[in-house]
Structures are given as C-alpha cells and as structure tokens.
Amino acid sequence: MNIVGKDNIPNPPIDFILSHFDSSSGQFPCKMMTFRSNGQFTVNTKQEILKRCEQSDFKDCRINAYPETIVKEGMLIQAPNFVFVDLDLGNFDNDINKLNKVKNSTLRKMEQMHGSHPTLSWTGNGYHIYLPINVSVLDNEYVFSKDKFPKLFSLKGKYSQYFVSEAFMQYAEDFFTSGRADPNHRPKYKTCLIRIPDTFNSKCLNRGLSLEDSKVRILQKWDGKRIDGDAITHEFLIWLIRQEINLNNSSSNRSNPTKKNRTRYLGTGESHHQDKSSFRIEWIERLLQIPIDDQRKYCLWRIISPYLLNVKHISEAETAKTMEKWLYQCSHLKKLDFEPRIKIYGIIKGNKGFKPISYSKLKDENEELYLFLQKKNLENISK
C-alpha cells in the first residue's frame, strides 16, 4: 500500500545530492538501498535512482557517497573526499538541546577551521552533516603507508580490514564532533550510505509520526565550495603516529612489567627513578624560548606536551599555559592556522603517557625540523 498519494509525491533533489560526490572514475555506477531492497544494489543513472525511490514508496532511500569502482589494477583510486557526520538523538538521552549543542559546535569547528558551509539535514532521529573536501588518495602516499603503522593495520590491529583512507573517514567524523558522533557509525567506502532528502524514515513512520515529521529535510545547503583537506590530513597523520606509539608502548610494557617502575627520558639515554620534577632536557627547554614559524603543531604534540606532562610532571593547567605562551610568541613570526586553545586542549586530553621524541630520532622522523633546530644551535645542548 502506497503511503503517498498522487498529489503529494516527493521530489527528491537527486542532482543536489550527487553534486557532493566527486570521483576520478565518475559518479556511476554506484550503490544504493531502499526499504524494499535486500541490501545494496547498483544504479547507473539519476533516473534509475528516482525510479527505485518510487518503487520503495520513498522509504529509507539511501545512496552511497562513493562510486562502485574504488580499486583499479590493484590500486585504490578513490580519495576519501566526503566527510559524513552522524549525530543520533538517541546518543544524547533523546535530549534535543544536548544534540543541538554538539551539532552547533561541530558546524562552528568546520567554519572556524576551514570556512566551510556543509549540508545539514534532519533525518527524523538526528542530524547528518555532509562536508565535501579536496584530498588525495592517502593510501598511495608514502607518509600514510600501512607499513609505517604496523600495529594499527596488522591482521590483529584495529584497522586490519581498512584502507588508510577509510580510517581517515572515521577520524574526520570524530575530529569535527570531538568524539560525540554516533559510535555505531563507522563509514567505509562500501557503507557510506546517506539518506536522500525528501524521502521518509521508516523508523519515524513506525512510531506513528506523520509523513511530514518522518521526512528527511535539508536544513542548510552546501555552498558548493570543496574545502582544502590538507589541514585535517595533517592532523590525521599526527593521530596515526600517536596511536602507533601508544600501541608500541603498551606492547613494551606488557613484555617488560618492570618498565613501569622506571622512566627513560628520550633525548638523554639516562634512566631515573623517583624525583622527576627537576629533570631537564636542555634542547627542549631551549626550544620553549625560541619562537618558530612552522612545525608548531608537531612540536606541541611530539615534543613539548609529552615533555611537560610526562617528564617534568607539570599539571595540565600549567602545561596549557606554557604551550599557549610559546604559541603566542610563535604567532608574531607567522599567524597560526588553528585556534590555540582548542588545539592545546585536544593534545593534552589525548596524551597517553608517551615521552617526547629524542633529538637523535628527530632526524629520521622530521628532518625538516631537525635541520631548523641545528641552525638554532640546539644540537650542542641535546644531552
């Protein structure tokens, strides 16, 4: 039985939704699914999408943001250029005010960082946010190679069955929402299904809501500007390195249970026991006195934060003050491209007890920064 009559047949904005998707192999063929389908099926034209919506009485019509062909000759060819944020009302105790607070902060973060104006839709059970970005195929870049993160992408790792680009999709959602997105929403290329606007959510209909209240509605339209994704891929790379370090530290502690009773301070090669607050790593102390115009984010999370928190054992509040003071000095050389308090807060809260990189290992991990510090004569006090 049809739930819509001849006078109120929906007119889904297929062209608008497809405009969000960008693929080197074209938009079609792609996958979609509906209330009447048994899983996903292939569609090849806009007309076929609309026909399938009609056959399903416009209920639960979803389309994949990525094309069916993502791999060619064994190589991933599809970039993770569509960020999908899912904010489910049920995860906020069905409190619309709590949900709106996170929705607003997510949109504000996108605006502040990238000047973006994404699509916002109401699904009947929460919000979807669609943010198209310009980004490369990460798996094909050396710095994102799975070989560099063997713990994360091993057969027993958290992302064993993922492309690196798919891990990025999930990271981006967590990043913009500060981890408040639906925990059950783990987008991948094959599962990135978005609800087509002006179709109906069957869960709402089953609760007895009207057609109008069950309709997927666009609340804000994307402005058509695909933002540069370099800033967030940089954040993602930092996150990957941090996760790999944490996994290595965890494995090391499990294999050597006495290790937790001593602290090794990277950069000196010395082991110490109790009184750690007076310990100094001179090259990092010197760095804190020198403003720099690049590599500020890297210095914060890889050097300064772990040094202050886990070597000097300074409180989070004092660590934040020291980092903010250093960034203020750096901003006189070159304006920051991020909001310092948000960045500092995220780095401190994400700290898992790892130590700063040693000066000798810095050369391999970040040669550009290493050479810069050499010019500043920090190598003479690296011990």
Side-chain angles (χ1 to χ4, degrees):
M1 179 179 179
N2 292 337
I3 62 171
V4 295
K6 294 181 180 180
D7 296 330
N8 61 344
I9 295 177
N11 184 27
I14 305 299
D15 285 324
F16 173 70
I17 288 300
L18 292 178
S19 71
H20 292 69
F21 311 152
D22 181 53
S23 169
S24 59
S25 61
Q27 293 176 333
F28 297 105
C30 68
K31 295 285 190 178
M32 71 174 292
M33 65 183 298
T34 68
F35 180 79
R36 293 186 183 278
S37 69
N38 183 18
Q40 298 186 45
F41 54 86
T42 300
V43 289
N44 292 284
T45 65
K46 292 181 289 186
Q47 291 74 21
E48 190 174 354
I49 294 172
L50 183 58
K51 180 180 179 181
R52 289 288 195 156
C53 290
E54 292 174 346
Q55 290 174 349
S56 184
D57 224 9
F58 298 96
K59 290 192 295 184
D60 293 342
C61 301
R62 301 180 179 93
I63 187 167
N64 199 314
Y66 292 102
E68 192 170 44
T69 303
I70 61 171
V71 175
K72 189 174 183 179
E73 297 180 355
M75 178 176 289
L76 182 67
I77 60 173
Q78 176 59 50
N81 50 26
F82 182 85
V83 176
F84 178 6
V85 171
D86 185 1
L87 297 173
D88 195 299
L89 182 60
N91 293 321
F92 297 90
D93 303 318
N94 290 311
D95 187 328
I96 191 64
N97 292 323
K98 291 181 181 179
L99 175 64
N100 283 336
K101 184 176 180 180
V102 175
K103 178 260 293 183
N104 292 337
S105 66
T106 299
L107 293 175
R108 185 164 55 248
K109 191 172 185 178
M110 289 179 172
E111 173 65 29
Q112 289 176 345
M113 288 193 64
H114 303 285
S116 62
H117 189 81
T119 289
L120 171 70
S121 68
W122 174 256
T123 67
N125 292 313
Y127 295 110
H128 283 181
I129 300 174
Y130 308 139
L131 178 65
I133 64 175
N134 281 319
V135 64
S136 59
V137 182
L138 301 183
D139 298 70
N140 300 336
E141 295 189 18
Y142 173 72
V143 293
F144 290 104
S145 168
K146 286 187 178 183
D147 293 337
K148 296 177 72 67
F149 311 102
K151 294 283 187 181
L152 274 174
F153 293 95
S154 68
L155 289 177
K156 295 183 179 180
K158 181 178 180 181
Y159 295 103
S160 62
Q161 302 299 318
Y162 287 75
F163 291 108
V164 176
S165 294
E166 291 177 323
F168 169 77
M169 293 180 203
Q170 298 182 9
Y171 169 81
E173 182 178 26
D174 287 339
F175 174 80
F176 283 118
T177 64
S178 300
R180 301 300 303 278
D182 183 355
N184 296 317
H185 183 240
R186 311 301 292 171
K188 299 178 70 174
Y189 284 120
K190 293 183 178 181
T191 62
C192 195
L193 293 161
I194 68 174
R195 288 186 178 272
I196 298 176
D198 289 343
T199 60
F200 305 108
N201 187 328
S202 68
K203 291 181 181 178
C204 297
L205 293 171
N206 292 338
R207 295 204 311 266
L209 298 182
S210 66
L211 285 177
E212 189 60 32
D213 289 336
S214 302
K215 184 182 292 186
V216 179
R217 305 193 309 272
I218 296 176
L219 305 180
Q220 172 180 293
K221 282 192 173 184
W222 176 45
D223 60 5
K225 298 177 181 178
R226 191 173 289 271
I227 66 168
D228 188 346
D230 284 349
I232 189 170
T233 55
H234 178 74
E235 296 291 336
F236 175 57
L237 179 59
I238 292 173
W239 179 83
L240 285 175
I241 295 172
R242 182 185 297 157
Q243 296 298 309
E244 190 70 20
I245 290 171
N246 291 341
L247 289 172
N248 285 326
N249 286 344
S250 297
S251 298
S252 179
N253 288 336
R254 285 195 296 270
S255 63
N256 186 1
T258 63
K259 186 174 181 180
K260 62 184 179 181
N261 296 322
R262 68 180 187 269
T263 302
R264 179 167 297 278
Y265 295 100
L266 302 180
T268 67
E270 301 177 25
S271 293
H272 292 262
H273 293 276
Q274 295 299 318
D275 186 17
K276 305 165 187 172
S277 60
S278 61
F279 190 84
R280 292 167 61 89
I281 298 179
E282 293 299 332
W283 75 272
I284 301 181
E285 293 286 347
R286 178 75 183 278
L287 173 63
L288 285 167
Q289 305 304 315
I290 299 176
I292 61 178
D293 62 1
D294 197 10
Q295 303 280 353
R296 278 87 64 100
K297 296 175 185 176
Y298 178 91
C299 288
L300 288 177
W301 77 266
R302 196 69 173 94
I303 301 171
I304 296 175
S305 169
Y307 172 60
L308 296 177
L309 290 169
N310 303 321
V311 174
K312 301 201 73 173
H313 294 272
I314 295 174
S315 69
E316 290 187 0
E318 288 301 315
T319 295
K321 287 182 181 179
T322 301
M323 293 165 71
E324 197 168 342
K325 179 181 178 181
W326 182 73
L327 284 177
Y328 177 75
Q329 295 173 335
C330 293
S331 67
H332 289 301
L333 291 180
K334 183 180 179 181
K335 184 178 178 181
L336 303 175
D337 62 353
F338 57 92
E339 206 292 312
R341 291 190 177 181
I342 293 177
K343 174 60 60 181
I344 289 170
Y345 175 83
I347 288 175
I348 289 177
K349 293 304 179 184
N351 189 284
K352 299 296 184 182
F354 58 89
K355 301 300 187 288
I357 190 171
S358 68
Y359 190 76
S360 59
K361 290 183 178 179
L362 182 66
K363 183 176 182 180
D364 295 326
E365 185 172 300
N366 193 329
E367 186 176 13
E368 181 181 350
L369 179 61
Y370 176 83
L371 294 174
F372 172 81
L373 295 181
Q374 277 196 320
K375 291 179 182 179
K376 292 294 184 179
N377 295 319
L378 295 189
E379 73 278 8
N380 294 328
I381 56 172
S382 62
K383 296 183 179 181

